[in-house]
Amino acid sequence: MDIKETMQAIGRRARAASRRLATASTAEKNAALQAIADAIRREKAALLTANAADVAAARAAGLEPAMLDRLTLTEKGVDNMAEGVEQVAKLPDPIGEMGEFKFRPSGIQVGKMRVPLGVIGIIYEARPNVTADAAALCLKSGNAAILRGGSEAIRCNQAIAALVKEGLEVAGLPGDCVQVIETTDRAAVGELITMREFVDVIVPRGGKGLIARLLAESRVPMIQHLDGNCHVYLDEDADPNKALKIVENAKTQRYGTCNTAESLLVDRSVAAMLLPPIAHMLTAKGVEIRGCAETCAIVPNAVPASEDDYYAEFLAPIISVKVVSGIDEAIAHINQYSSKHTEAIVTDNHPKAMRFLREVDSASVMVNASTRFADGFEYGLGAEIGISTDKIHARGPVGLEGLTSQKWVVLGDGHVRG
Amino acid sequence: MDIKETMQAIGRRARAASRRLATASTAEKNAALQAIADAIRREKAALLTANAADVAAARAAGLEPAMLDRLTLTEKGVDNMAEGVEQVAKLPDPIGEMGEFKFRPSGIQVGKMRVPLGVIGIIYEARPNVTADAAALCLKSGNAAILRGGSEAIRCNQAIAALVKEGLEVAGLPGDCVQVIETTDRAAVGELITMREFVDVIVPRGGKGLIARLLAESRVPMIQHLDGNCHVYLDEDADPNKALKIVENAKTQRYGTCNTAESLLVDRSVAAMLLPPIAHMLTAKGVEIRGCAETCAIVPNAVPASEDDYYAEFLAPIISVKVVSGIDEAIAHINQYSSKHTEAIVTDNHPKAMRFLREVDSASVMVNASTRFADGFEYGLGAEIGISTDKIHARGPVGLEGLTSQKWVVLGDGHVRG
């Protein structure tokens, strides 16, 4: 069979499995999740062996240390994986939930029921835990999944896939509810993202390069996450203590996450007061400050920022800083330079807080809180499959609900349209 | 300027206008809508003259009578257009509405705010009233619109566009909030559906051919509506009077609408009882019955149905009929043959009603009600821009809310992540 035929066969099996899974009871889905978690714990040694083989092959192939690090699975990592699956079992089941019923003048009642999307294709890079995470979220939300992990993790992914299949079958559900693509041929991705008849949505989890390629080629709707160039704006009415604390947390708690602040905007009237202590804190933590001319005049160790710096997602101890004339310029700057992920204002002024919330066009907007809160767990979603910077369908952290849709339900008693 | 440059310029203007419109107050938007309605009424004679020129040109070009009929605007049509715009002004403004706030263990409050999608491209065929309808819905939902109507209606569409622009400017909003593409060059559509940087979603309103072409070529998410092959299933426990009444309304109230029933399924155990009076009613109304072998045995004037008949959206006085072994076969048949628009079960049995609602994978599912109810006005949306048979983002009738998205709002008081 060629790649196209192989992928079409996978798609057909996923579609068939999705019909059964869409009507599975909560108990069946939770039994499958528990069986998967049990199997992962039971086969810990085998998973570590498969992962060790992946790591050895990747090292021999000259994979860079940071990637090797992400690829490596530890004993604790396997425990976390099993626990993650159990946590998804404990989440409320969104599927089949009805609500919003209203009587209409015609006498019918109209409401909605939450339903799965159908078949979800997930394309991800090295980390093997994504296989178990994504399988669990798709399963609980009633969606069949087709998973395509990085080729470096293929042995471990296949080992996890076998355990997922086992768990599904123990619970009486089709093993095809979760399929892991076995070939490492890149053409398989090309098929996956174009077979509209079998795949309802693509969720990419990976770097910018991967997502840009998928965006250019995909014929299936995507829940995409490009990058996180998040801003903190310190307003004229910012409380200096809150400002310092929030910038510290937003920039320095972790440098490599997409909800880390990459750019700081400060109102001109308070810049000379707010910037020195913040710059002192950042410098003490080894953060490089790239500022506008006014920033450089206030902060002696700042270096001049280029235009590109204001667009950059550094993912590193670097921050761009700009002095602005007020909230209008701050909002205009953010809507121009931001990646529409998460932005925060620090202010004690209510009308300005409300304007910021309304006018900043990003997936998450915050008042007096760190951008680091933009996360499915912090928002109470229980888990997240990604963070969407798109506006269609799902925006911001995507949990179980983001993997569902709603159909209309009409209840009558012989009603006809007049 | 070539077509690409022209369209890019339109896109850039739409994006700029959308930023202003996203933060417009309800009063501003309603003032614009009222000014548009007033202008339409004032210029009734000019609109009818422009339409008459369109109709004359189309007749000279040999357009078929049904299309000429759809193209023709009457005095009453102009009044309805103005009234439709006023009705949209009366709908509640969804934009900026906040809700669903919950305190999280970290101390932050997390909720959501409803926001526009941004720029909506609408591609439609002959009917000139769509220009005013679509402009009004996009405007009220805070979205800039780029409208591309059928080339046959170009004079009337441009006349309406000028009045929309006037109304926007009277209310102090940018005239570019609604732009009508002036060229009839088909390449303009190709640009519109691929300029992701300027267009957030495409809403096609037209025949299957148009939508299939757009689906194949679009690089922008679409709220699509392919066709309506709607089913009515008469269960073993159907009340015969409700069954007769619902089939009559669903099939014969109007033949050309997408929520008209095209296929009737009947449980074998009640087929001999239910089918004769229904066939009598249908035949009396001139509806051709295309049935399975069992149907033909019960209904003497039925003709044998082909496999294709079960997939067909007839949009005509024709119905396909199939006798099935029960609810399992009915659901399986529908999930196989339906276009996922609207399906109804007639039954007095509660568990079977619930199974039908849950297991039928269509945008609207109904119990003891006519499929003809699947409509934005009947559902209480106030207006509709189309009916989506897709699952991503919007499903079923799409009103103002379907043209919006939600962003996350986080309220803190100096909160940082631990």
Side-chain angles (χ1 to χ4, degrees):
Chain A
M1 277 211 289
D2 68 5
I3 287 285
K4 189 181 181 73
E5 283 168 20
T6 305
M7 292 304 298
Q8 295 265 324
I10 288 173
R12 245 187 309 272
R13 289 198 299 268
R15 180 62 77 206
S18 79
R19 295 216 189 283
R20 166 74 178 92
L21 187 54
T23 61
S25 68
T26 306
E28 284 176 305
K29 293 188 284 190
N30 288 348
L33 289 165
Q34 190 57 57
I36 292 167
D38 292 346
I40 290 172
R41 284 208 186 84
R42 189 193 69 215
E43 298 297 335
K44 189 194 277 191
L47 292 176
L48 292 173
T49 303
N51 180 250
D54 282 334
V55 171
R59 184 172 288 123
L63 203 70
E64 52 181 297
M67 288 291 277
L68 282 177
D69 199 50
R70 292 178 67 208
L71 178 61
T72 305
L73 196 60
T74 60
E75 282 210 34
K76 176 106 176 43
V78 178
D79 291 340
N80 288 347
M81 204 190 288
E83 206 178 300
V85 173
E86 283 172 340
Q87 275 170 7
V88 173
K90 285 183 195 126
L91 294 175
D93 186 349
I95 300 304
E97 233 174 43
M98 293 200 290
E100 302 177 44
F101 279 96
K102 280 180 192 151
F103 272 109
R104 298 290 307 150
S106 62
I108 59 171
Q109 275 197 79
V110 179
K112 288 183 173 179
M113 183 192 288
R114 199 162 281 286
V115 293
L117 292 174
V119 177
I120 300 180
I122 300 181
I123 301 168
Y124 51 103
E125 291 176 336
R127 294 193 303 155
N129 66 307
V130 176
T131 305
D133 284 2
L137 284 168
C138 290
L139 173 49
K140 185 69 180 244
S141 57
N143 294 289
I146 302 176
L147 307 180
R148 160 65 183 221
S151 55
E152 306 81 5
I154 186 77
R155 295 170 191 84
C156 190
N157 283 342
Q158 286 182 359
I160 296 168
L163 303 177
V164 169
K165 195 175 162 80
E166 175 196 320
L168 284 162
E169 288 171 352
V170 162
L173 293 171
D176 289 335
C177 288
V178 179
Q179 296 177 82
V180 171
I181 298 176
E182 297 200 355
T183 169
T184 58
D185 189 333
R186 284 188 70 177
V189 172
E191 294 298 327
L192 181 62
I193 64 178
T194 49
M195 48 188 205
R196 288 186 71 105
E197 64 277 40
F198 300 125
V199 182
D200 296 291
V201 64
I202 293 286
V203 180
R205 291 184 59 163
K208 252 179 172 167
L210 169 73
I211 293 171
R213 179 195 155 203
L214 296 181
L215 258 183
E217 295 174 20
S218 181
R219 306 304 301 156
V220 175
M222 268 176 58
I223 296 179
Q224 70 187 66
H225 169 185
L226 270 168
D227 51 358
N229 176 18
C230 303
H231 293 72
V232 176
Y233 167 55
L234 307 180
D235 178 60
E236 181 181 8
D237 298 313
D239 175 303
N241 292 327
K242 293 178 198 167
L244 180 67
K245 216 170 121 189
I246 287 170
V247 174
E248 177 182 16
N249 187 259
K251 180 66 226 180
T252 75
Q253 197 201 18
R254 285 180 66 186
Y255 294 115
T257 51
C258 62
N259 54 20
T260 295
E262 304 288 13
S263 197
L264 176 66
L265 306 176
V266 191
D267 185 287
R268 181 163 295 126
S269 63
V270 290
M273 172 185 67
L274 294 181
L275 277 180
I278 288 172
H280 184 261
M281 173 275 295
L282 290 171
T283 305
K285 294 191 173 236
V287 177
E288 179 185 330
I289 298 169
R290 300 189 185 171
C292 64
E294 289 178 72
T295 301
C296 292
I298 297 168
V299 179
N301 62 325
V303 298
S306 70
E307 175 76 359
D308 283 351
D309 284 330
Y310 291 112
Y311 282 108
E313 181 184 27
F314 298 114
L315 297 172
I318 304 169
I319 192 167
S320 68
V321 182
K322 190 169 201 288
V323 173
V324 295
S325 58
I327 191 166
D328 287 310
E329 190 184 342
I331 292 171
H333 178 97
I334 290 170
N335 285 338
Q336 168 76 25
Y337 291 89
S338 141
S339 64
K340 304 189 186 302
H341 188 296
T342 299
E343 332 293 340
I345 184 174
V346 183
T347 189
D348 284 348
N349 178 296
H350 182 67
K352 284 197 273 188
M354 294 309 290
R355 270 199 64 196
F356 189 89
L357 292 179
R358 174 85 189 252
E359 297 182 24
V360 169
D361 181 26
S362 293
S364 291
V365 286
M366 303 183 167
V367 177
N368 294 334
S370 167
T371 56
R372 289 277 297 132
F373 281 116
D375 172 282
F377 293 92
E378 293 293 336
Y379 282 5
L381 306 183
E384 94 184 10
I385 200 147
I387 297 183
S388 169
T389 53
D390 213 337
K391 287 188 189 177
I392 303 298
H393 191 69
R395 202 172 183 193
V398 178
L400 288 177
E401 197 174 292
L403 300 180
T404 67
S405 175
Q406 286 183 304
K407 64 184 174 191
W408 296 87
V409 173
V410 174
L411 303 179
D413 190 27
H415 286 80
V416 296
R417 187 161 166 188
Chain B
M1 279 211 287
D2 68 7
I3 287 284
K4 188 180 181 73
E5 283 169 21
T6 305
M7 292 304 298
Q8 296 266 323
I10 288 174
R12 243 188 310 274
R13 289 198 299 268
R15 179 63 77 205
S18 79
R19 295 214 188 286
R20 166 73 177 91
L21 186 54
T23 61
S25 68
T26 306
E28 286 176 304
K29 292 187 285 190
N30 288 348
L33 289 166
Q34 190 56 57
I36 292 167
D38 293 345
I40 289 172
R41 284 208 186 85
R42 188 194 71 216
E43 298 297 335
K44 189 193 277 192
L47 291 177
L48 292 173
T49 304
N51 180 250
D54 282 334
V55 172
R59 183 171 290 124
L63 204 70
E64 52 181 295
M67 289 290 278
L68 282 177
D69 198 51
R70 294 177 66 206
L71 178 60
T72 304
L73 196 60
T74 60
E75 281 210 36
K76 176 109 175 45
V78 178
D79 292 340
N80 288 346
M81 205 189 286
E83 206 178 301
V85 173
E86 282 172 340
Q87 275 170 6
V88 172
K90 284 181 196 125
L91 294 176
D93 186 349
I95 300 304
E97 233 174 41
M98 293 202 289
E100 303 177 44
F101 279 95
K102 281 180 192 152
F103 273 110
R104 297 291 307 149
S106 61
I108 58 172
Q109 274 197 80
V110 179
K112 289 182 173 180
M113 184 193 286
R114 198 161 283 285
V115 292
L117 291 173
V119 177
I120 300 179
I122 299 181
I123 301 167
Y124 51 104
E125 292 177 336
R127 294 193 304 155
N129 66 307
V130 176
T131 305
D133 284 2
L137 284 167
C138 289
L139 172 49
K140 185 70 181 245
S141 57
N143 293 288
I146 303 176
L147 308 180
R148 159 66 183 223
S151 55
E152 306 81 6
I154 187 76
R155 295 170 191 82
C156 190
N157 284 341
Q158 285 181 1
I160 296 168
L163 304 178
V164 170
K165 194 174 163 81
E166 174 196 319
L168 285 162
E169 289 170 353
V170 163
L173 292 172
D176 288 335
C177 288
V178 179
Q179 296 176 82
V180 171
I181 298 176
E182 298 200 355
T183 169
T184 57
D185 190 332
R186 284 188 69 177
V189 172
E191 293 299 327
L192 181 61
I193 63 178
T194 50
M195 47 188 205
R196 288 187 71 103
E197 65 277 42
F198 299 125
V199 182
D200 296 292
V201 67
I202 293 285
V203 180
R205 291 184 60 162
K208 252 180 173 169
L210 170 72
I211 293 170
R213 178 195 156 201
L214 297 180
L215 258 183
E217 294 173 21
S218 181
R219 308 303 301 154
V220 175
M222 269 176 57
I223 296 178
Q224 70 187 67
H225 170 186
L226 271 167
D227 50 358
N229 176 16
C230 303
H231 292 72
V232 176
Y233 167 55
L234 308 180
D235 178 60
E236 180 182 8
D237 297 315
D239 175 303
N241 291 326
K242 295 177 197 167
L244 180 67
K245 216 169 121 188
I246 287 170
V247 174
E248 177 183 16
N249 188 259
K251 180 66 228 181
T252 75
Q253 196 201 18
R254 285 182 65 188
Y255 295 116
T257 51
C258 61
N259 55 19
T260 296
E262 303 289 12
S263 197
L264 175 66
L265 305 176
V266 191
D267 185 288
R268 180 163 297 126
S269 63
V270 289
M273 173 184 67
L274 295 181
L275 279 180
I278 288 173
H280 183 261
M281 173 275 294
L282 290 171
T283 305
K285 293 190 175 238
V287 177
E288 178 184 331
I289 298 169
R290 299 189 184 170
C292 63
E294 290 178 71
T295 301
C296 292
I298 298 168
V299 179
N301 62 325
V303 298
S306 70
E307 174 75 358
D308 282 352
D309 284 330
Y310 291 112
Y311 282 108
E313 182 184 27
F314 298 113
L315 298 172
I318 304 169
I319 192 167
S320 68
V321 182
K322 189 171 201 289
V323 173
V324 295
S325 57
I327 190 167
D328 287 310
E329 189 184 342
I331 292 171
H333 178 96
I334 291 170
N335 285 339
Q336 168 74 27
Y337 291 89
S338 139
S339 64
K340 304 189 185 304
H341 188 298
T342 299
E343 333 292 340
I345 185 174
V346 182
T347 188
D348 283 349
N349 178 297
H350 182 67
K352 284 196 274 188
M354 295 308 289
R355 271 199 62 197
F356 189 89
L357 292 179
R358 173 84 188 252
E359 297 182 23
V360 169
D361 182 26
S362 293
S364 290
V365 287
M366 303 184 166
V367 176
N368 295 334
S370 166
T371 56
R372 288 278 298 133
F373 281 116
D375 172 282
F377 292 92
E378 294 293 336
Y379 283 6
L381 305 183
E384 94 184 10
I385 199 144
I387 297 183
S388 168
T389 52
D390 213 336
K391 288 188 190 180
I392 302 297
H393 191 68
R395 203 172 182 193
V398 178
L400 288 178
E401 197 176 292
L403 300 179
T404 67
S405 174
Q406 287 182 302
K407 64 184 175 191
W408 295 88
V409 174
V410 174
L411 303 179
D413 190 28
H415 287 81
V416 296
R417 187 160 166 188

